[in-house]
Amino acid sequence: MVSEPVKTIERTRIYDVAAAAGVSVATASRALNDTGRMTEQTRERVKQVAAQLGFRPNTMARGLLGKRSFTIGLLTNDTYGRFTLPLMAGVSEALVDRGVSVFLCTIEDDAALAKVHVDALLDKQVDGIIASGRRVDRRLPVDLSNLPVPVVYAFTEGPDDSVTFISDDEQGSREAVQWLVSRGRRRIVHITGPESFASVQVRAQAYRTVVGEQAEIHHGEWSEAWGHEAVARLWSGADTPPDGIFCGNDQIARGVVDALRERGVTVPDDVSVVGFDNWEIVAAATRPPLTSVDMNLRELGREAGLTILALAEGKEVAPGIRRLPCQLVLRQSG
Amino acid sequence: MVSEPVKTIERTRIYDVAAAAGVSVATASRALNDTGRMTEQTRERVKQVAAQLGFRPNTMARGLLGKRSFTIGLLTNDTYGRFTLPLMAGVSEALVDRGVSVFLCTIEDDAALAKVHVDALLDKQVDGIIASGRRVDRRLPVDLSNLPVPVVYAFTEGPDDSVTFISDDEQGSREAVQWLVSRGRRRIVHITGPESFASVQVRAQAYRTVVGEQAEIHHGEWSEAWGHEAVARLWSGADTPPDGIFCGNDQIARGVVDALRERGVTVPDDVSVVGFDNWEIVAAATRPPLTSVDMNLRELGREAGLTILALAEGKEVAPGIRRLPCQLVLRQSG
DNA sequence: TTGAAAGCGCTAACAT
DNA sequence: ATGTTAGCGCTTTCAA
């Protein structure tokens, strides 16, 4: 497309609306914003004219008055987008009807880049910032605590007095293990990621709570390969192999299921397997498809979006950590 | 975080800078924007003072002058983000140093939602819009051809006179098949997705060009399951099974590799397999890891970003389809 | 109930 | 080379 030197499409301004409706701009503004007092008739007429002319207020002008810009920033260091995208979808979904658009800023553990992005956001007078990440127990490489705009944290660690949204991994894990128990599984082991992850600790603890004494936790990498290896170990030892496996994430679970099939162990008849994350691409492609814990990130995003909006509008929001429930998605592996 | 009723953090305005530097706002503005004529000394002094005071120009005010808003919109219907995220990363990377932030708008094949997003973008006076999608041969459910801002298309079909960026699937496929040939593979088949996809056509045609007469193309779904099924068919028929397989995407390739391993066919010793997309999560987890064609979406995003910027600055850009080269990423399957 | 006018922070045309 | 000033489109006092 050759650039259009003559942008003939002149936007209708509030002046045009006022003129067409036979009122002053002040009245027009009040009518359109449902403020001030005036005859319902005038208000209606102005609104009608505005609609007819396809009037859309200029956000820049509005923003210049020190009011809201109807934009927010979503900061994330989750390059892969595995967690960010569902979150973003939720945020966007919650805000788009209210005319708020979302700047997505991917900072890859790079403090300098993060600062550049945050500064750019502040220059644009965003109404708020949602900080997000790929690890619940890590902070973004940038300090957001003294910004002139509200900040909420989603799926990443924030300061003590911040509003933080995370999924309730404890509840999700508990339900997953309880599900295995309810299916008659008696020897349930937990194959999960590195101990250093907070989410590993929480999920393991929930598992322990349900199975009690017999708890048996195997730590490794977050990979399919580790799932294979763990199965090899469990089935080559002297102990009776488990009949139920709760995995720390879907990749491990897929490795486990594949390894079991290769050994001639039938899932879920001989062994039930449950994953975590409900990462469609992994869970659905596994044979049989994985039963998995979904963190409801979209819903989490919705909540975060609504909260940042409330803060932007000056409402009070109590600080603290909000844990949103996970949901066990049943497929065929467990 | 309790909302801060007193936003005490007053931003320094250009007036403050001007006063502190002992010049007028006009001079300050010119100095900071490297326009107008003045002693290098004055310019330097103003810049220094501005830096000292941490001055950041208010984008709203700037945008109100009918100039640029330093924002662009990225529209996509790729909910999963498989294609959009690398693209977005490239766009962002190209623009962030120039102070441009990106609104990400996910419209899910919903025309009404698309319109809401586009209107919101126009209200915010975006400098341009990049339209993107999950299918190269489908248009977004919204007409962007008469917008008051420039539009470029990336990884989605645009009008004839538009600037469109897509990956050179023909070249990528050709290199993939030629690689198989160079590895001494003599009977190479192509297992790919539904015929209705333009990318399937292009990749198949490239494959045909290289292997000539012996071309053998199997269409199915874009799934691992189809990879399994295709292998079952090829190895159960009367014909000699292939020694090289070029797959339409990584999921099919993974299915193929898994199926071969289950049959005791060794990859890559007996059969070489090459995928398409280089989707890390799939390609790296396959045993052995997949050699695959990468569409360089990040680079594509960079180009699209730079182009929309050029258009926003009023530069002329010739319309047409730009095909950016793919790259064969060697792992171990081929 | 409605209107006139000031002003948000910046840039650019027009002085000097 | 630098300063004065008029707006950009809107909201919001203040006045009528």
Side-chain angles (χ1 to χ4, degrees), chain B residues 116-143:
Chain B
V116 171
H117 267 122
V118 171
D119 284 346
L121 288 177
L122 294 179
D123 289 350
K124 270 129 204 160
Q125 318 273 130
V126 289
D127 295 333
I129 292 178
I130 298 178
S132 168
R134 63 170 175 265
R135 254 186 92 163
V136 167
D137 55 351
R138 283 286 183 277
R139 302 198 174 195
L140 294 184
V142 59
D143 181 19

PDB file of all heavy atoms in Angstrom, chain B residues 116-143:
ATOM      1  N   VAL B 116     -14.868  -4.241  17.090  1.00  0.00           N
ATOM      2  CA  VAL B 116     -14.683  -3.570  18.380  1.00  0.00           C
ATOM      3  C   VAL B 116     -13.203  -3.242  18.590  1.00  0.00           C
ATOM      4  O   VAL B 116     -12.834  -2.130  18.965  1.00  0.00           O
ATOM      5  CB  VAL B 116     -15.192  -4.456  19.538  1.00  0.00           C
ATOM      6  CG1 VAL B 116     -14.793  -3.855  20.880  1.00  0.00           C
ATOM      7  CG2 VAL B 116     -16.691  -4.624  19.460  1.00  0.00           C
ATOM      8  N   HIS B 117     -12.363  -4.218  18.303  1.00  0.00           N
ATOM      9  CA  HIS B 117     -10.928  -4.010  18.494  1.00  0.00           C
ATOM     10  C   HIS B 117     -10.373  -2.958  17.540  1.00  0.00           C
ATOM     11  O   HIS B 117      -9.594  -2.093  17.944  1.00  0.00           O
ATOM     12  CB  HIS B 117     -10.185  -5.328  18.304  1.00  0.00           C
ATOM     13  CG  HIS B 117      -9.976  -6.078  19.575  1.00  0.00           C
ATOM     14  ND1 HIS B 117     -10.434  -7.361  19.773  1.00  0.00           N
ATOM     15  CD2 HIS B 117      -9.377  -5.737  20.736  1.00  0.00           C
ATOM     16  CE1 HIS B 117     -10.107  -7.765  20.994  1.00  0.00           C
ATOM     17  NE2 HIS B 117      -9.480  -6.796  21.589  1.00  0.00           N
ATOM     18  N   VAL B 118     -10.771  -3.049  16.296  1.00  0.00           N
ATOM     19  CA  VAL B 118     -10.257  -2.087  15.327  1.00  0.00           C
ATOM     20  C   VAL B 118     -10.715  -0.673  15.691  1.00  0.00           C
ATOM     21  O   VAL B 118      -9.915   0.278  15.652  1.00  0.00           O
ATOM     22  CB  VAL B 118     -10.719  -2.442  13.895  1.00  0.00           C
ATOM     23  CG1 VAL B 118     -10.385  -1.325  12.924  1.00  0.00           C
ATOM     24  CG2 VAL B 118     -10.060  -3.737  13.450  1.00  0.00           C
ATOM     25  N   ASP B 119     -11.965  -0.539  16.087  1.00  0.00           N
ATOM     26  CA  ASP B 119     -12.453   0.783  16.496  1.00  0.00           C
ATOM     27  C   ASP B 119     -11.664   1.307  17.685  1.00  0.00           C
ATOM     28  O   ASP B 119     -11.290   2.478  17.734  1.00  0.00           O
ATOM     29  CB  ASP B 119     -13.946   0.711  16.841  1.00  0.00           C
ATOM     30  CG  ASP B 119     -14.804   0.641  15.584  1.00  0.00           C
ATOM     31  OD1 ASP B 119     -14.264   0.913  14.490  1.00  0.00           O
ATOM     32  OD2 ASP B 119     -15.990   0.306  15.693  1.00  0.00           O
ATOM     33  N   ALA B 120     -11.421   0.416  18.639  1.00  0.00           N
ATOM     34  CA  ALA B 120     -10.650   0.830  19.819  1.00  0.00           C
ATOM     35  C   ALA B 120      -9.259   1.293  19.395  1.00  0.00           C
ATOM     36  O   ALA B 120      -8.739   2.284  19.906  1.00  0.00           O
ATOM     37  CB  ALA B 120     -10.548  -0.320  20.813  1.00  0.00           C
ATOM     38  N   LEU B 121      -8.679   0.589  18.433  1.00  0.00           N
ATOM     39  CA  LEU B 121      -7.350   0.966  17.956  1.00  0.00           C
ATOM     40  C   LEU B 121      -7.384   2.332  17.276  1.00  0.00           C
ATOM     41  O   LEU B 121      -6.508   3.173  17.492  1.00  0.00           O
ATOM     42  CB  LEU B 121      -6.813  -0.082  16.976  1.00  0.00           C
ATOM     43  CG  LEU B 121      -6.400  -1.421  17.579  1.00  0.00           C
ATOM     44  CD1 LEU B 121      -5.961  -2.377  16.485  1.00  0.00           C
ATOM     45  CD2 LEU B 121      -5.299  -1.238  18.612  1.00  0.00           C
ATOM     46  N   LEU B 122      -8.400   2.534  16.469  1.00  0.00           N
ATOM     47  CA  LEU B 122      -8.497   3.814  15.762  1.00  0.00           C
ATOM     48  C   LEU B 122      -8.733   4.953  16.752  1.00  0.00           C
ATOM     49  O   LEU B 122      -8.195   6.043  16.592  1.00  0.00           O
ATOM     50  CB  LEU B 122      -9.612   3.763  14.715  1.00  0.00           C
ATOM     51  CG  LEU B 122      -9.346   2.785  13.564  1.00  0.00           C
ATOM     52  CD1 LEU B 122     -10.516   2.776  12.592  1.00  0.00           C
ATOM     53  CD2 LEU B 122      -8.051   3.135  12.844  1.00  0.00           C
ATOM     54  N   ASP B 123      -9.534   4.698  17.770  1.00  0.00           N
ATOM     55  CA  ASP B 123      -9.756   5.715  18.801  1.00  0.00           C
ATOM     56  C   ASP B 123      -8.439   6.114  19.438  1.00  0.00           C
ATOM     57  O   ASP B 123      -8.246   7.253  19.837  1.00  0.00           O
ATOM     58  CB  ASP B 123     -10.662   5.170  19.917  1.00  0.00           C
ATOM     59  CG  ASP B 123     -12.084   5.000  19.442  1.00  0.00           C
ATOM     60  OD1 ASP B 123     -12.396   5.471  18.334  1.00  0.00           O
ATOM     61  OD2 ASP B 123     -12.877   4.392  20.168  1.00  0.00           O
ATOM     62  N   LYS B 124      -7.563   5.137  19.549  1.00  0.00           N
ATOM     63  CA  LYS B 124      -6.279   5.425  20.181  1.00  0.00           C
ATOM     64  C   LYS B 124      -5.276   5.968  19.185  1.00  0.00           C
ATOM     65  O   LYS B 124      -4.101   6.107  19.500  1.00  0.00           O
ATOM     66  CB  LYS B 124      -5.738   4.161  20.849  1.00  0.00           C
ATOM     67  CG  LYS B 124      -6.212   4.073  22.281  1.00  0.00           C
ATOM     68  CD  LYS B 124      -6.825   2.762  22.592  1.00  0.00           C
ATOM     69  CE  LYS B 124      -7.773   2.873  23.759  1.00  0.00           C
ATOM     70  NZ  LYS B 124      -8.711   1.762  23.786  1.00  0.00           N
ATOM     71  N   GLN B 125      -5.752   6.239  17.969  1.00  0.00           N
ATOM     72  CA  GLN B 125      -4.901   6.866  16.956  1.00  0.00           C
ATOM     73  C   GLN B 125      -3.635   6.079  16.662  1.00  0.00           C
ATOM     74  O   GLN B 125      -2.572   6.686  16.480  1.00  0.00           O
ATOM     75  CB  GLN B 125      -4.496   8.260  17.413  1.00  0.00           C
ATOM     76  CG  GLN B 125      -5.578   9.058  18.055  1.00  0.00           C
ATOM     77  CD  GLN B 125      -6.408   9.817  17.066  1.00  0.00           C
ATOM     78  OE1 GLN B 125      -7.614   9.755  17.109  1.00  0.00           O
ATOM     79  NE2 GLN B 125      -5.783  10.491  16.139  1.00  0.00           N
ATOM     80  N   VAL B 126      -3.756   4.763  16.640  1.00  0.00           N
ATOM     81  CA  VAL B 126      -2.565   3.980  16.311  1.00  0.00           C
ATOM     82  C   VAL B 126      -1.947   4.459  15.002  1.00  0.00           C
ATOM     83  O   VAL B 126      -2.646   4.923  14.116  1.00  0.00           O
ATOM     84  CB  VAL B 126      -2.882   2.468  16.196  1.00  0.00           C
ATOM     85  CG1 VAL B 126      -3.189   1.855  17.544  1.00  0.00           C
ATOM     86  CG2 VAL B 126      -3.997   2.216  15.198  1.00  0.00           C
ATOM     87  N   ASP B 127      -0.643   4.341  14.939  1.00  0.00           N
ATOM     88  CA  ASP B 127       0.062   4.778  13.743  1.00  0.00           C
ATOM     89  C   ASP B 127      -0.072   3.781  12.600  1.00  0.00           C
ATOM     90  O   ASP B 127       0.238   4.090  11.453  1.00  0.00           O
ATOM     91  CB  ASP B 127       1.550   4.959  14.054  1.00  0.00           C
ATOM     92  CG  ASP B 127       1.782   6.076  15.055  1.00  0.00           C
ATOM     93  OD1 ASP B 127       0.945   6.993  15.110  1.00  0.00           O
ATOM     94  OD2 ASP B 127       2.788   6.024  15.777  1.00  0.00           O
ATOM     95  N   GLY B 128      -0.520   2.579  12.930  1.00  0.00           N
ATOM     96  CA  GLY B 128      -0.667   1.572  11.887  1.00  0.00           C
ATOM     97  C   GLY B 128      -1.161   0.274  12.485  1.00  0.00           C
ATOM     98  O   GLY B 128      -1.199   0.116  13.703  1.00  0.00           O
ATOM     99  N   ILE B 129      -1.552  -0.623  11.606  1.00  0.00           N
ATOM    100  CA  ILE B 129      -2.057  -1.912  12.067  1.00  0.00           C
ATOM    101  C   ILE B 129      -1.377  -3.037  11.300  1.00  0.00           C
ATOM    102  O   ILE B 129      -1.225  -2.959  10.081  1.00  0.00           O
ATOM    103  CB  ILE B 129      -3.589  -2.002  11.883  1.00  0.00           C
ATOM    104  CG1 ILE B 129      -4.293  -1.019  12.833  1.00  0.00           C
ATOM    105  CG2 ILE B 129      -4.095  -3.422  12.123  1.00  0.00           C
ATOM    106  CD1 ILE B 129      -5.803  -0.999  12.694  1.00  0.00           C
ATOM    107  N   ILE B 130      -0.942  -4.049  12.024  1.00  0.00           N
ATOM    108  CA  ILE B 130      -0.414  -5.247  11.390  1.00  0.00           C
ATOM    109  C   ILE B 130      -1.473  -6.329  11.548  1.00  0.00           C
ATOM    110  O   ILE B 130      -1.901  -6.629  12.659  1.00  0.00           O
ATOM    111  CB  ILE B 130       0.900  -5.712  12.039  1.00  0.00           C
ATOM    112  CG1 ILE B 130       1.971  -4.634  11.878  1.00  0.00           C
ATOM    113  CG2 ILE B 130       1.366  -7.022  11.410  1.00  0.00           C
ATOM    114  CD1 ILE B 130       3.301  -4.985  12.531  1.00  0.00           C
ATOM    115  N   ALA B 131      -1.917  -6.868  10.428  1.00  0.00           N
ATOM    116  CA  ALA B 131      -2.921  -7.918  10.468  1.00  0.00           C
ATOM    117  C   ALA B 131      -2.218  -9.253  10.328  1.00  0.00           C
ATOM    118  O   ALA B 131      -1.378  -9.437   9.453  1.00  0.00           O
ATOM    119  CB  ALA B 131      -3.928  -7.734   9.337  1.00  0.00           C
ATOM    120  N   SER B 132      -2.555 -10.146  11.213  1.00  0.00           N
ATOM    121  CA  SER B 132      -1.886 -11.436  11.198  1.00  0.00           C
ATOM    122  C   SER B 132      -2.900 -12.535  11.462  1.00  0.00           C
ATOM    123  O   SER B 132      -3.995 -12.281  11.945  1.00  0.00           O
ATOM    124  CB  SER B 132      -0.826 -11.431  12.300  1.00  0.00           C
ATOM    125  OG  SER B 132      -0.354 -12.718  12.509  1.00  0.00           O
ATOM    126  N   GLY B 133      -2.538 -13.749  11.122  1.00  0.00           N
ATOM    127  CA  GLY B 133      -3.506 -14.819  11.319  1.00  0.00           C
ATOM    128  C   GLY B 133      -2.849 -16.159  11.435  1.00  0.00           C
ATOM    129  O   GLY B 133      -1.629 -16.267  11.422  1.00  0.00           O
ATOM    130  N   ARG B 134      -3.656 -17.182  11.563  1.00  0.00           N
ATOM    131  CA  ARG B 134      -3.061 -18.502  11.698  1.00  0.00           C
ATOM    132  C   ARG B 134      -3.076 -19.232  10.368  1.00  0.00           C
ATOM    133  O   ARG B 134      -2.527 -20.305  10.251  1.00  0.00           O
ATOM    134  CB  ARG B 134      -3.788 -19.306  12.765  1.00  0.00           C
ATOM    135  CG  ARG B 134      -5.219 -19.584  12.470  1.00  0.00           C
ATOM    136  CD  ARG B 134      -5.837 -20.569  13.427  1.00  0.00           C
ATOM    137  NE  ARG B 134      -7.255 -20.659  13.110  1.00  0.00           N
ATOM    138  CZ  ARG B 134      -8.192 -19.975  13.715  1.00  0.00           C
ATOM    139  NH1 ARG B 134      -7.886 -19.176  14.689  1.00  0.00           N
ATOM    140  NH2 ARG B 134      -9.434 -20.078  13.328  1.00  0.00           N
ATOM    141  N   ARG B 135      -3.693 -18.645   9.366  1.00  0.00           N
ATOM    142  CA  ARG B 135      -3.687 -19.271   8.055  1.00  0.00           C
ATOM    143  C   ARG B 135      -3.344 -18.247   7.007  1.00  0.00           C
ATOM    144  O   ARG B 135      -3.966 -17.198   6.894  1.00  0.00           O
ATOM    145  CB  ARG B 135      -5.056 -19.868   7.748  1.00  0.00           C
ATOM    146  CG  ARG B 135      -5.074 -21.373   7.850  1.00  0.00           C
ATOM    147  CD  ARG B 135      -6.390 -21.935   7.404  1.00  0.00           C
ATOM    148  NE  ARG B 135      -6.398 -22.272   5.986  1.00  0.00           N
ATOM    149  CZ  ARG B 135      -7.311 -23.069   5.447  1.00  0.00           C
ATOM    150  NH1 ARG B 135      -8.261 -23.573   6.189  1.00  0.00           N
ATOM    151  NH2 ARG B 135      -7.272 -23.344   4.166  1.00  0.00           N
ATOM    152  N   VAL B 136      -2.343 -18.591   6.218  1.00  0.00           N
ATOM    153  CA  VAL B 136      -1.851 -17.672   5.206  1.00  0.00           C
ATOM    154  C   VAL B 136      -2.895 -17.405   4.135  1.00  0.00           C
ATOM    155  O   VAL B 136      -2.916 -16.350   3.510  1.00  0.00           O
ATOM    156  CB  VAL B 136      -0.563 -18.260   4.586  1.00  0.00           C
ATOM    157  CG1 VAL B 136      -0.174 -17.527   3.339  1.00  0.00           C
ATOM    158  CG2 VAL B 136       0.564 -18.214   5.606  1.00  0.00           C
ATOM    159  N   ASP B 137      -3.782 -18.375   3.921  1.00  0.00           N
ATOM    160  CA  ASP B 137      -4.736 -18.231   2.822  1.00  0.00           C
ATOM    161  C   ASP B 137      -6.141 -17.839   3.283  1.00  0.00           C
ATOM    162  O   ASP B 137      -7.114 -18.066   2.589  1.00  0.00           O
ATOM    163  CB  ASP B 137      -4.797 -19.528   2.017  1.00  0.00           C
ATOM    164  CG  ASP B 137      -5.108 -20.722   2.913  1.00  0.00           C
ATOM    165  OD1 ASP B 137      -5.103 -20.553   4.139  1.00  0.00           O
ATOM    166  OD2 ASP B 137      -5.342 -21.809   2.378  1.00  0.00           O
ATOM    167  N   ARG B 138      -6.218 -17.267   4.452  1.00  0.00           N
ATOM    168  CA  ARG B 138      -7.528 -16.804   4.916  1.00  0.00           C
ATOM    169  C   ARG B 138      -7.411 -15.353   5.322  1.00  0.00           C
ATOM    170  O   ARG B 138      -6.374 -14.918   5.809  1.00  0.00           O
ATOM    171  CB  ARG B 138      -7.987 -17.617   6.141  1.00  0.00           C
ATOM    172  CG  ARG B 138      -8.503 -18.991   5.812  1.00  0.00           C
ATOM    173  CD  ARG B 138      -9.888 -18.921   5.163  1.00  0.00           C
ATOM    174  NE  ARG B 138     -10.412 -20.252   4.916  1.00  0.00           N
ATOM    175  CZ  ARG B 138     -10.097 -20.991   3.854  1.00  0.00           C
ATOM    176  NH1 ARG B 138      -9.262 -20.513   2.957  1.00  0.00           N
ATOM    177  NH2 ARG B 138     -10.625 -22.185   3.708  1.00  0.00           N
ATOM    178  N   ARG B 139      -8.501 -14.633   5.155  1.00  0.00           N
ATOM    179  CA  ARG B 139      -8.494 -13.235   5.573  1.00  0.00           C
ATOM    180  C   ARG B 139      -9.103 -13.118   6.940  1.00  0.00           C
ATOM    181  O   ARG B 139      -9.922 -13.937   7.346  1.00  0.00           O
ATOM    182  CB  ARG B 139      -9.299 -12.395   4.592  1.00  0.00           C
ATOM    183  CG  ARG B 139      -8.756 -12.521   3.187  1.00  0.00           C
ATOM    184  CD  ARG B 139      -9.240 -11.406   2.315  1.00  0.00           C
ATOM    185  NE  ARG B 139      -8.572 -11.523   1.035  1.00  0.00           N
ATOM    186  CZ  ARG B 139      -8.534 -10.567   0.134  1.00  0.00           C
ATOM    187  NH1 ARG B 139      -9.132  -9.415   0.391  1.00  0.00           N
ATOM    188  NH2 ARG B 139      -7.911 -10.734  -0.997  1.00  0.00           N
ATOM    189  N   LEU B 140      -8.732 -12.071   7.622  1.00  0.00           N
ATOM    190  CA  LEU B 140      -9.361 -11.803   8.896  1.00  0.00           C
ATOM    191  C   LEU B 140     -10.816 -11.391   8.611  1.00  0.00           C
ATOM    192  O   LEU B 140     -11.105 -10.864   7.549  1.00  0.00           O
ATOM    193  CB  LEU B 140      -8.630 -10.668   9.629  1.00  0.00           C
ATOM    194  CG  LEU B 140      -7.202 -10.977  10.068  1.00  0.00           C
ATOM    195  CD1 LEU B 140      -6.624  -9.821  10.856  1.00  0.00           C
ATOM    196  CD2 LEU B 140      -7.148 -12.250  10.892  1.00  0.00           C
ATOM    197  N   PRO B 141     -11.691 -11.620   9.571  1.00  0.00           N
ATOM    198  CA  PRO B 141     -13.113 -11.324   9.354  1.00  0.00           C
ATOM    199  C   PRO B 141     -13.418  -9.841   9.495  1.00  0.00           C
ATOM    200  O   PRO B 141     -14.377  -9.468  10.155  1.00  0.00           O
ATOM    201  CB  PRO B 141     -13.796 -12.132  10.453  1.00  0.00           C
ATOM    202  CG  PRO B 141     -12.812 -12.136  11.557  1.00  0.00           C
ATOM    203  CD  PRO B 141     -11.461 -12.194  10.905  1.00  0.00           C
ATOM    204  N   VAL B 142     -12.588  -9.007   8.879  1.00  0.00           N
ATOM    205  CA  VAL B 142     -12.804  -7.568   9.005  1.00  0.00           C
ATOM    206  C   VAL B 142     -12.091  -6.874   7.846  1.00  0.00           C
ATOM    207  O   VAL B 142     -11.024  -7.303   7.420  1.00  0.00           O
ATOM    208  CB  VAL B 142     -12.258  -7.073  10.372  1.00  0.00           C
ATOM    209  CG1 VAL B 142     -10.786  -7.364  10.516  1.00  0.00           C
ATOM    210  CG2 VAL B 142     -12.533  -5.605  10.564  1.00  0.00           C
ATOM    211  N   ASP B 143     -12.725  -5.836   7.346  1.00  0.00           N
ATOM    212  CA  ASP B 143     -12.158  -5.122   6.203  1.00  0.00           C
ATOM    213  C   ASP B 143     -11.268  -3.985   6.679  1.00  0.00           C
ATOM    214  O   ASP B 143     -11.722  -3.068   7.334  1.00  0.00           O
ATOM    215  CB  ASP B 143     -13.299  -4.576   5.337  1.00  0.00           C
ATOM    216  CG  ASP B 143     -12.749  -3.840   4.129  1.00  0.00           C
ATOM    217  OD1 ASP B 143     -11.576  -4.068   3.786  1.00  0.00           O
ATOM    218  OD2 ASP B 143     -13.497  -3.039   3.532  1.00  0.00           O
TER     219      ASP B 143
END
